Each structure stands twice: as C-alpha cells, then as structure tokens.
Amino acid sequence: MSKSAIKDTMDALVKELNQHNYNYYVLATPTISDYEFDQKLETLAKLEKENPEFADPDSPTLKVGGEITKNFITVNHKWPMLSLGNTYNEQDLLDFDERIRKSIGDNFEYVCELKFDGLSISLTYEQHKLVRAVTRGDGKKGDDVTNNVKTIRSIPHQLKTMEAPEIFEIRGEILMHLAAFNRLNKEREELGEISYANPRNFASGTIKMQDSNEVAKRPLDCFLYAMNTDKTHFKTHWESLQILKTWGFHVSEHTILAPSITEVFAFIKYWELERFKLSYAIDGIVLKVNSYAQQQELGITAKSPRWAISYKYKAQEVETILEKVTYQVGRTGAVTPVANLKPVLLAGTTVKRATLHNANEIERLDLHLGDSVFVEKGGEIIPKIINVNLEKRKLGAVKVIYPVICPECDTQLLRKEGEVAFYCPNDEGCPPQIVGKIQHFIGRKAMNIDGLGDETIEAFYQKGLIRHISDLYTLKDKAEELKTIARFGERSIENMLKGIEFSKQMPFEKVLFGLGIRYVGETVAKKLAFAIKNIDRLMAASLEDLVAIDEIGQRIAESIQEYFNKPAHLLQIELLKAHNLQFEAKEIEITLQSEKLSGKTFVISGVFEKFSREELKELIESNGGKILSSISAKLSYLVAGDNMGPSKLEKAQKLNVPLISEDDLLEMLK
Ligand code: AMP
Ligand code: ZN
C-alpha cells in the first residue's frame, strides 16, 4: 500500500469506528457485531503503531474509560446460555400454553418473573465461593469478567450456607438503577463525555471495562433467577428461588406462582404500567414452567427452552408536537439541547421535555420546529424522541440548528477533538457556569459548606454579591447586603458564615476537587493531592510529571495544565490562599522499611483511595507484616476499603477481627 492509501484507510476506519461507537453508546442501535468491531479496531491500532505519523487524535483507539478495548479471556459455558422465545401478543401466550398442555397435560404451574433489562451473567460457585463470572457472549462462550463482577455488592463472594452443592452455576441479570444511571450520565455530559442511551448499555459498558477500580465506582445491582447443577437439588424452580434467597442471593420479590395462564395475564396487566414505578428498567415478563421434571420433559430447541417464554411490553410511545429546542449550559460549559414538547400523557405521566443529547442527535433526527415527533419512554426517566412523522411536516418548517454561540453569553462554542459535546469556553463570564462552579465548590463532596445551598448561591449571584469562589470568603463583610436577601434571617446568615469559615479547614484534596477542573473528579483530586502534595508543585508540574501519577492519563494532565494557564484561575488561587484555605496536603510521614508490623497479619479487601491494593501489600510486607488470603480468627487486621464484599465483612465481625482503614494503617507506620 502506498503511504497515502494507508492514510486514507486509517482515516476511513477512524470515521467508521467512531460512528459505530455512537450507534452503540448513544443510539443503542449497533449495526455491527462486537466481534467485527474488535477486528476493525485491532486493524486500526496496528496501522497506527506502524504509521504513527498518520494517527488521528480523534482515534477510537485512544478513548478513555476502557469502554472500547475488550480484552477478556473467553470461557465456554458448561450449560449453554440460551435465549428466550418472545412475543408481544397474548394469542402467542395462549398458543404456548396450549403446546405445553398437549405435551405434558394440564397438571402444571407457571412461575412469573420480571424480565430485567440488563445483561445476563453466569456465576460459578465452588465450595460456596464465587470463582467465575462470565457474560453470555454468543451463548456457547462468553467473556470472563470475574474481577469486575466481584465489585457488585449484591453478589455474595462467599455463601451464607453449607447446604449448597459443591459446584453450581447461577444466572442473573446485571443492571444499573435509574437514579444512578441519570446521575452518572449527567456527570458524563458535564465532562463532555458520551452519555449512554439507557441503563442497559451503561451496565454492559461498565462490566466490559478493563479497570475494576473504575467498575467499583459505578453502582450495579444483580438479580438472580436460575440455577444449574449436575445433580438435581430442587424439585421446582419456585423452591429454588426461595432457597437461593436464604443463601444470600438477591432474588426479585416480584415473582409469583401462577396456577394457570389466567393469573399470568393478570400479572402482565399489573406490571404494564406499574413497571414505571420500579427503580430499574424491565422490558417484559418471563413465564417458566415450575417443575424441573416437567421442564426436562418439554426440553429445548436449538435456540431456546420449550418451557419458558417472554412477553415483551411494547415501548410506550406517543406522538406530539416539538414546540422549541432550548439549550442548557452546565457547570463545565457543555451545551445540551432539550426538546420542549406540547404536553402529552405517556406511561402515566405528563411529558413536556425530551433529551436530545447533543448536536449529532439533532442532525440525525433532522428536526424542524413544529414537527410531529414520536416520543418513547423506555428504561430512562426522561423520554426521548425516536423519530419524526415526516408526513405531517408543514411546508416551510424551520430546521433546528444547533447554535454556534453560547445561548447565555454569546461566546463562540467550541468542540474538543474526540468529543461530541460543544461547550462554551467563557468559564469566567458565562452566568450558568459561574453559578454552577460556585455550587460545585460548596457541594457535599467538595467543601461541604453548611448553611449554604444552590438557591442561595443563585440569589447571591443575581444580587451581584458573588462572581467567584473567593467572593464567598468576603461575604462576612457584606452583612447589610445579605439582609436584603428574601427569607434570609439573622440566624441563617450566622450559620452560613460559620460554615464558610469552617471550610477553611477542609483538606487540600477537597479544595482541589472544589475548583472544578475539567476531568478532575473526587478520586483524581485525591490521587493528585497525595502524589503532588501542594498547589504550587501542581501548577509547576509538567505533562510527564502528571501522567507518571497513578490513574492520571494524558487527557486529565492536559486539562490541568490548561486550567493553570488561565490568569483568572491563578488570581482565584492567590485570593483563596490569602483567605487561608488549605493548599497543602497534610504530610503523612510513613516509614518505607521497618519491622513495625512484624508478627502481624493482614487481609486487604475493597478499593482504596490513596493506594492501589498492590501498593498496600508492598507497604505492609516491607514493614514486616504478612499478607493472608482469607479471614480467620487468628488474623490481626482486615484492611477495609470501599465496596468490600459483604460476606468478608460479616466474617470479620463474627470472628472479632479488627477492621482498619488505609489511614489507620498509615498511622501504624508513622
Ligand atoms: P432475549 O435476549 O430476548 O432472548 O431474552 C433472554 C434474556 O432475558 C436472557 O438472556 C436474560 O438475560 C434476560 N432475562 C431477564 N430477566 C430474566 C428472567 N427473569 N428470567 C430469565 N431471563 C431473563
Ligand atoms: Zn457561555
């Protein structure tokens, strides 16, 4: 291939793969298989390695978050993971019932379950311990994602029973609750990252990440609904579900035993609208013949069992008019379009707005003002526009054009390479950004200032009392003006001022997070504070210095440098320093080599903030301590981080093993 042909091939691959990513993550309608995607991605990565001069900064091989590189060991399923026959109509269910009757007679029962909209997982337990978690894959073999699945709190690592078989498999559905989905998606939008189309994609994207620490930060749940063993352990499916609960598995409470198809229909009818009150998404119900012997008799087809079927709910969809599109500017300047609709009843609630995600989505829908649009409520809380009824488009309708300037401050919008969201770069002069940044600073995870809320910040800004974070610390000199704010009494003012004063003690990592530097989230701020120690060194750090820190990548490093290149930011830091905020990490003096821990044993469990588990292990061993793999009565300490398995915790408590944090450990080494 000639050089220019290579470049063309690479460019085409970048474009194509980025489109596939968009189809997959944003639209939730992939047009190629994971396998084909991986093949193409590999080809591109290889070409980039051989021809680095042509590598595109927007290349999907560079995407962060590990969502795209999939590098897991493939494992064969002992029992194939079949799909379920499915239907959208009641006649099919009657036919299904009829077929079963013909085959095994009238004497049988059904179990009705919710059909959780997540990704299925196969868990293998040996000697009551979770040893393997594998995705469905193609049904015959899937990806070994054990380490990621171990971060899910509702999945026991160790069973609470001795009666379970030595080896068995249990299946369930991993999902993300709607509240977590909305919160995390909003965070992603604010960071200019792609937001996920639905909780299912978010959950499956998460389970396929390489970095288990990252997985641990995203709350996932898992409902278990089937068990396989070599020997029959139970007589009926219903019985197995009841017992699985007592072994510590999360089994849905919304499961019923149905004596006949009539009760099944009632169950379907009940959940048709009731499902929108659940904290997670379901897309239908599953019907299973209860008796295992009868299941055996009915058998399976090549694709699915003959003893089960799913009934899927049609998406709740209505047609309404797009009245206008408004644009919200977030704290980090991301400009998100929102469709304003003629109010309409959908799935039991009145809908006035729908998400449009970003500029690409407006293009994809080719939206015109006054369009009649189809709105769907799927697994998300906020509904979305599926498509436009072109037949009803009025002649001369005006096309919706995503703005080129900020709707709040008229600054020209920018789009970073490799990102989908446009953002307003005027962070010092754009009202929602100013207010948003101060709100972020006082927030619970940052400075956690008592007596001060988002509305108060908004009111202070409107009154011209604050424009910058540092202005918070001058409020005490503005007593008279404060009194003019409605519903703000003397007591509240006093409380607030106390809270503000108190925040000067907040540790450096909180201040750093509070500054709201793009991509510097809570964990990153902690890592930075711990590794770099103070703000002056952070400002002076080179790109190389920054990326050398655990978990700090190129994108974060660049963003930090960009932040400190702005004189307005430097001025803020000078002012905050003058108000005596903490810009220095509390020195942790630890001995790196000693015999301080000799004779003591440790088990490390969970995810930690300051150290990786490997680092903790090294720290303990180089100070004479010994690492053990399991908890016993003789264990000296359990070093416990976040997301520790509940069974470990329970065992430690039962055996009276002291639990210590990483800080306690550091204390021992002082
Ligand atoms: P389908 O993907 O439409 O063939 O449906 C089969 C999938 O439904 C299974 O692979 C599971 O991931 C999922 N599913 C969700 N809830 C249940 C349930 N209660 N019982 C069985 N499968 C379920
Ligand atoms: Zn702006």
Side-chain angles (χ1 to χ4, degrees):
M1 246 200 290
S2 75
K3 279 276 169 196
S4 84
I6 291 176
K7 182 170 184 328
D8 289 348
T9 310
M10 287 170 66
D11 288 349
L13 274 171
V14 168
K15 233 177 127 192
E16 187 192 342
L17 289 168
N18 279 337
Q19 183 62 44
H20 286 311
N21 269 333
Y22 185 74
N23 292 347
Y24 184 85
Y25 288 108
V26 181
L27 306 181
T29 45
T31 52
I32 60 169
S33 69
D34 280 8
Y35 178 77
E36 283 172 287
F37 181 91
D38 291 346
Q39 293 293 305
K40 285 181 196 272
L41 191 71
E42 233 166 72
T43 311
L44 177 62
K46 189 157 163 274
L47 287 172
E48 283 175 350
K49 214 164 161 199
E50 292 162 1
N51 310 276
E53 70 275 26
F54 298 145
D56 190 325
D58 192 17
S59 170
T61 58
L62 301 174
K63 291 273 149 69
V64 287
E67 281 141 15
I68 288 134
T69 45
K70 297 178 197 123
N71 221 341
F72 294 100
I73 295 169
T74 309
V75 178
N76 287 324
H77 291 299
K78 184 161 177 196
W79 291 275
M81 291 182 84
L82 302 171
S83 63
L84 284 172
N86 64 58
T87 171
Y88 287 89
N89 68 66
E90 301 195 346
Q91 186 55 51
D92 284 353
L93 288 187
L94 288 171
D95 294 348
F96 171 79
D97 187 61
E98 194 54 41
R99 277 200 303 279
I100 292 182
R101 225 167 269 290
K102 274 202 185 122
S103 176
I104 60 171
D106 290 343
N107 194 12
F108 68 93
E109 291 172 315
Y110 289 119
V111 174
C112 295
E113 296 170 23
L114 301 181
K115 187 170 193 298
F116 309 102
D117 196 9
L119 71 143
S120 46
I121 193 81
S122 147
L123 308 173
T124 302
Y125 284 80
E126 289 181 16
Q127 265 77 39
H128 309 148
K129 265 212 229 13
L130 173 64
V131 293
R132 211 159 34 254
V134 184
T135 62
R136 175 159 150 195
D138 63 5
K140 293 198 185 74
K141 54 188 186 324
D143 290 332
D144 183 332
V145 290
T146 311
N147 286 334
N148 288 349
V149 165
K150 280 188 169 168
T151 68
I152 302 177
R153 285 168 196 235
S154 55
I155 295 180
H157 295 192
Q158 174 83 44
L159 298 184
K160 295 201 286 191
T161 178
M162 281 298 154
E163 39 166 307
E166 295 253 298
I167 298 182
F168 69 94
E169 187 213 26
I170 180 162
R171 288 181 185 172
E173 199 83 355
I174 293 178
L175 52 83
M176 184 180 278
H177 288 269
L178 295 169
F181 168 73
N182 283 296
R183 175 170 58 80
L184 294 178
N185 240 2
K186 192 160 162 259
E187 277 174 27
R188 289 176 72 86
E189 254 160 32
E190 276 175 357
L191 290 177
E193 290 173 355
I194 288 181
S195 54
Y196 288 89
N198 53 45
R200 172 171 28 88
N201 281 6
F202 213 145
S204 72
T206 300
I207 281 299
K208 291 192 180 150
M209 289 198 301
Q210 290 299 329
D211 183 355
S212 300
N213 283 319
E214 205 44 52
V215 178
K217 286 183 206 147
R218 301 184 179 181
L220 296 174
D221 200 349
C222 181
F223 283 110
L224 284 312
Y225 49 64
M227 177 182 165
N228 287 308
T229 48
D230 279 327
K231 284 184 284 192
T232 21
H233 204 78
F234 301 110
K235 286 210 163 48
T236 66
H237 178 54
W238 177 259
E239 182 195 353
S240 81
L241 292 179
Q242 308 314 313
I243 301 292
L244 287 173
K245 246 184 245 180
T246 68
W247 292 356
F249 290 108
H250 195 191
V251 175
S252 169
E253 56 192 315
H254 304 305
T255 304
I256 62 155
L257 202 52
S260 78
I261 196 81
T262 318
E263 288 79 12
V264 173
F265 285 135
F267 186 81
I268 290 175
K269 184 110 199 72
Y270 177 77
W271 285 106
E272 171 124 46
L273 279 184
E274 204 62 18
R275 67 190 167 118
F276 293 106
K277 296 187 190 149
L278 291 168
S279 67
Y280 47 86
I282 65 165
D283 60 344
I285 65 110
V286 184
L287 192 57
K288 300 173 182 171
V289 169
N290 188 27
S291 145
Y292 285 141
Q294 287 175 328
Q295 287 188 4
Q296 283 269 323
E297 216 180 317
L298 288 159
I300 58 174
T301 71
K303 269 178 38 206
S304 52
R306 285 205 181 86
W307 43 265
I309 192 167
S310 73
Y311 174 90
K312 292 205 182 175
Y313 292 116
K314 286 184 202 76
Q316 297 272 332
E317 194 185 274
V318 283
E319 198 174 341
T320 186
I321 304 294
L322 173 72
E323 291 183 331
K324 62 177 179 191
V325 176
T326 50
Y327 298 87
Q328 281 172 350
V329 182
R331 161 172 75 82
T332 54
V335 180
T336 319
V338 179
N340 292 239
L341 308 166
K342 186 164 172 229
V344 64
L345 204 64
L346 174 62
T349 49
T350 305
V351 169
K352 299 188 204 108
R353 291 153 164 269
T355 46
L356 285 170
H357 299 296
N358 52 48
N360 296 10
E361 184 66 356
I362 294 179
E363 268 316 301
R364 181 186 75 88
L365 291 163
D366 184 30
L367 281 184
H368 286 57
L369 290 179
D371 268 350
S372 192
V373 293
F374 294 104
V375 181
E376 183 188 280
K377 192 162 163 77
E380 325 62 49
I381 287 171
I382 311 164
K384 59 181 167 216
I385 296 181
I386 299 303
N387 53 33
V388 175
N389 186 344
L390 288 177
E391 282 169 17
K392 291 200 191 158
R393 176 168 293 162
K394 302 238 165 48
L395 213 62
V398 180
K399 191 172 156 64
V400 176
I401 309 272
Y402 189 90
V404 285
I405 59 169
C406 174
E408 300 279 348
C409 76
D410 295 345
T411 305
Q412 176 133 27
L413 299 182
L414 300 177
R415 168 140 71 171
K416 289 222 161 117
E417 269 174 352
E419 291 183 3
V420 281
F422 280 92
Y423 74 98
C424 165
N426 182 22
D427 69 334
E428 287 296 317
C430 185
Q433 292 192 61
I434 295 172
V435 173
K437 280 199 173 65
I438 303 176
Q439 288 169 338
H440 171 74
F441 182 78
I442 65 160
R444 197 173 47 80
K445 289 181 174 177
M447 302 298 272
N448 194 15
I449 299 185
D450 267 350
L452 198 53
D454 284 357
E455 289 93 64
T456 316
I457 296 293
E458 182 80 50
F460 285 174
Y461 176 75
Q462 297 302 342
K463 287 260 177 190
L465 284 173
I466 46 174
R467 271 196 72 88
H468 299 285
I469 292 170
S470 62
D471 296 336
L472 287 171
Y473 296 92
T474 62
L475 283 174
K476 62 177 190 302
D477 309 323
K478 298 178 183 162
E480 286 314 307
E481 283 136 294
L482 288 176
K483 283 185 199 144
T484 66
I485 309 258
R487 278 182 290 131
F488 213 48
E490 210 138 305
R491 272 292 289 282
S492 333
I493 295 178
E494 206 177 293
N495 257 345
M496 172 190 79
L497 292 178
K498 244 195 223 153
I500 291 175
E501 196 55 33
F502 187 73
S503 73
K504 293 180 180 173
Q505 305 301 323
M506 289 305 260
F508 175 42
E509 63 203 41
K510 301 272 183 188
V511 181
L512 189 55
F513 172 61
L515 292 178
I517 304 171
R518 247 165 116 72
Y519 306 137
V520 178
E522 232 185 329
T523 321
V524 170
K526 275 183 189 146
K527 295 262 173 199
L528 286 171
F530 188 69
I532 295 231
K533 304 286 189 269
N534 67 46
I535 193 93
D536 297 318
R537 288 188 53 203
L538 182 62
M539 291 195 284
S542 67
L543 269 185
E544 294 74 49
D545 294 340
L546 292 169
V547 292
I549 301 169
D550 181 31
E551 273 194 46
I552 310 296
Q554 186 76 13
R555 189 180 68 151
I556 300 174
E558 277 171 13
S559 165
I560 293 168
Q561 295 222 310
E562 202 176 301
Y563 182 88
F564 290 121
N565 275 338
K566 275 203 180 174
H569 294 155
L570 299 180
L571 175 64
Q572 274 304 298
I573 287 166
E574 280 319 307
L575 290 170
L576 291 172
K577 272 185 179 172
H579 287 299
N580 291 322
L581 269 70
Q582 305 295 317
F583 280 105
E584 185 121 11
K586 290 260 178 317
E587 204 50 63
I588 307 173
E589 282 171 42
I590 47 168
T591 334
L592 285 178
Q593 204 128 38
S594 76
E595 287 304 315
K596 282 185 179 161
L597 303 179
S598 95
K600 303 216 166 75
T601 53
F602 298 82
V603 165
I604 304 172
S605 178
V607 184
F608 297 89
E609 274 158 2
K610 297 188 175 127
F611 298 98
S612 68
R613 275 152 72 133
E614 232 4 82
E615 286 165 342
L616 278 180
K617 185 167 165 254
E618 228 175 82
L619 199 61
I620 290 172
E621 286 176 340
S622 59
N623 285 286
K626 210 172 144 203
I627 303 286
L628 301 183
S629 60
S630 68
I631 299 171
S632 72
K634 276 186 262 151
L635 180 67
S636 319
Y637 299 104
L638 173 62
V639 191
D642 286 340
N643 280 302
M644 190 177 66
S647 55
K648 271 214 178 105
L649 182 67
E650 213 167 280
K651 189 157 182 197
Q653 284 166 343
K654 213 162 77 196
L655 297 174
N656 273 328
V657 174
L659 250 63
I660 60 170
S661 66
E662 58 184 331
D663 288 328
D664 297 333
L665 180 69
L666 294 177
E667 199 64 33
M668 291 182 185
L669 294 175
K670 262 194 185 162

